[in-house]
Amino acid sequence: MVHVAMAGGGFRDLAWRIARNAGGQPDRARRRTRMATWLLGLCIFFDDYANSLVVGSSIRPLADRTGVSRAKLAYLVDATSAAVAGVAIVSTWVGFEVGLLDDQITRFAGLADTGYGVFLAALPLRFYCLLTVIFAGFIAWTGRDFGPMWREENQAQAAYDQPVAPEGRAHWLDAMGPVLAVLLSVLGLNLWFGRAHDGGLLAQFIAGAEAAGLKVLAAAGVFGSIAAVALSVGRRLLSVKAALHAWIAGVIAMTPVLAILICAMSMRVVCDQAGTPSYLAALLSGVGGAWVPLMSFFIAALVAFMTGSSWATMGILLPIVVPLAATAPGPDGIWLLAATAAVLDGAIFGDHCSPISDTTVMSSAASGCAHDVHVWTQLPYAATVMVVAALFGYVGTAWFGLSAPIALLLGALTLGATVRLLGRNQATQRG
């Protein structure tokens, strides 16, 4: 779909409009591109796969034409995929998380009556996910970077060439129209497959995503491709032959991605068969009291990193951590809720960093970034957020009685200061 839209010239027109509206200032054009990536990642909150594929592939041509590195694009895509889907009140992730929490609902007596109630009660304590989104926003807005990401951005900006006015009749809607078709298809099909479920549109959406999530994404891709070909041919931007050639080129470009995913899944199965998750989960058996949230966070992060699966990590650890934390839930149940949030967040952190995670692979592939480059450039950023989330979140709330909003505010301020002190801006550096 994206290859067809690129061949038709829609993305060239979009890049030109952003550069022109930036007043001819490359730094403003880059900031607009970064913020567009971050905001689009927030908007596609209902599924991490859809987020990675749609945002990465849609913004990639724009990033190339405004001087934003593909490593930065891959990070922004990855940071707003699972982290956003994991805390959104409507998403495929929430359906899975609520199902796990429903199985442990008796442990939360007095705190919540349903799994969804537990999810909402623990939402303010999801420090890693919330701070990841905030940190990515800081990076997108300021343009300041540190570690390997700075080098990638410096190289991209050194090779930057100001976009020129595109020739032909292509319009930016020729590029974003198919993207809109994908989004509407995902929303509509999930509701269709879940239409028999009681409980309103929210429940129907979650039920449909659980029942036919991958089928929905595949169908949405077909609809998006049809829309891209129809627009390019109907508006005489491409011939039928040229549009089909562009579509086939996109299919061929995804072949290495399939190979990486197959290898990643194979490594995940080996880790599972070796009993690695169960062994690491058993390490929690001797932990108690206020230590449970912090240790749960680190164990979940380690399991998810080694297996590449956040969902499997949640399924393994929640039945262990929740009964353990319920024996000493802490004042107003804060230790129990924090431990629950820590498992969910730690699983997403490990999944975020793991080189064998499907969302990591998809983010790098959709953004056109070498997989090893994506892993190494985003690791310092994810680790920074992890340390801040652990200190102010799971230590601050469990040991020092900080309220969740105060802990989140302190964490956000710390991350902002980190970007300011450690980050370097390429425009400032050249000056």
Side-chain angles (χ1 to χ4, degrees):
M1 178 192 75
V2 173
H3 271 68
V4 174
M6 289 171 60
F11 283 111
R12 286 195 296 271
D13 181 69
L14 180 60
W16 164 248
R17 287 173 182 269
I18 287 182
R20 183 186 62 186
N21 292 335
Q25 301 180 33
D27 290 335
R28 288 186 62 190
R30 283 190 285 270
R31 173 180 287 179
R32 287 171 179 262
T33 301
R34 294 191 303 264
M35 291 302 297
T37 306
W38 183 72
L39 290 172
L40 188 57
L42 298 184
C43 292
I44 307 179
F45 54 84
F46 45 82
D47 185 79
D48 58 326
Y49 283 8
N51 185 304
S52 299
L53 294 175
V54 173
V55 178
S57 58
S58 300
I59 301 294
R60 183 179 67 203
L62 180 60
D64 291 344
R65 288 173 171 80
T66 54
V68 175
S69 71
R70 292 188 174 183
K72 173 64 71 62
L73 174 63
Y75 167 72
L76 293 175
V77 169
D78 210 351
T80 56
S81 58
V84 172
V87 297
I89 59 174
V90 181
S91 74
T92 53
W93 281 65
V94 172
F96 178 75
E97 292 172 357
V98 168
L100 295 176
L101 294 173
D102 273 328
D103 294 336
Q104 303 292 326
I105 193 60
T106 57
R107 310 284 184 177
F108 296 93
L111 297 175
D113 298 324
T114 64
Y116 196 73
V118 176
F119 168 81
L120 294 177
L123 190 58
L125 300 166
R126 301 290 296 276
F127 297 108
Y128 177 75
C129 288
L130 298 175
L131 289 175
T132 292
V133 175
I134 293 172
F135 183 75
F138 287 158
I139 292 294
W141 177 258
T142 63
R144 302 177 72 90
D145 295 287
F146 56 89
M149 186 69 79
W150 185 86
R151 293 192 294 271
E152 293 294 324
E153 280 288 278
N154 216 30
Q155 292 174 6
Q157 294 185 24
Y160 167 71
D161 188 17
Q162 180 76 18
V164 297
E167 299 178 356
R169 299 184 302 105
H171 191 272
W172 65 273
L173 287 175
D174 297 319
M176 299 311 293
V179 175
L180 182 61
V182 170
L183 297 181
L184 294 177
S185 298
V186 170
L187 292 172
L189 288 173
N190 276 335
L191 289 173
W192 170 261
F193 281 106
R195 66 189 184 280
H197 195 278
D198 296 329
L201 292 179
L202 172 60
Q204 291 175 359
F205 178 88
I206 294 176
E210 290 177 339
L214 293 179
K215 294 179 182 178
V216 166
L217 290 177
V222 171
F223 292 148
S225 296
I226 293 173
V229 172
L231 275 172
S232 61
V233 174
R235 285 177 35 76
R236 298 182 181 179
L237 304 175
L238 297 172
S239 66
V240 174
K241 182 178 179 180
L244 293 179
H245 272 276
W247 190 88
I248 293 173
V251 174
I252 295 174
M254 292 299 293
T255 303
V257 181
L258 298 178
I260 294 174
L261 281 174
I262 291 172
C263 293
M265 292 175 182
S266 301
M267 293 180 65
R268 182 184 306 169
V269 172
V270 170
C271 290
D272 289 340
Q273 294 296 321
T276 303
S278 300
Y279 169 74
L280 294 173
L283 297 178
L284 282 170
S285 59
V287 179
W291 283 104
V292 175
L294 182 63
M295 293 304 298
S296 298
F297 181 67
F298 285 129
I299 294 295
L302 187 58
V303 173
F305 182 84
M306 297 181 69
T307 63
S309 175
S310 53
W311 284 24
T313 301
M314 295 174 188
I316 291 170
L317 289 183
L318 276 179
I320 297 173
V321 169
V322 171
L324 181 65
T327 60
D332 298 323
I334 187 64
W335 296 350
L336 175 57
L337 291 175
T340 302
V343 171
L344 302 177
D345 268 12
I348 291 177
F349 165 74
D351 181 85
H352 191 193
C353 298
S354 176
I356 61 174
S357 163
D358 44 12
T359 51
T360 304
V361 174
M362 287 184 178
S363 296
S364 58
S367 303
C369 177
H371 186 57
D372 59 328
V373 173
H374 171 47
V375 172
W376 286 114
T377 51
Q378 85 163 352
L379 188 58
Y381 287 0
T384 298
V385 179
M386 181 268 288
V387 171
V388 172
L391 291 179
F392 290 100
Y394 302 114
V395 172
T397 55
W399 283 93
F400 299 102
L402 294 180
S403 66
I406 294 298
L408 188 62
L409 176 61
L410 292 175
L413 291 175
T414 302
L415 290 175
T418 301
V419 172
R420 180 65 182 172
L421 294 176
L422 298 183
R424 292 182 289 173
N425 185 284
Q426 284 73 23
T428 302
Q429 183 73 9
R430 289 196 302 271

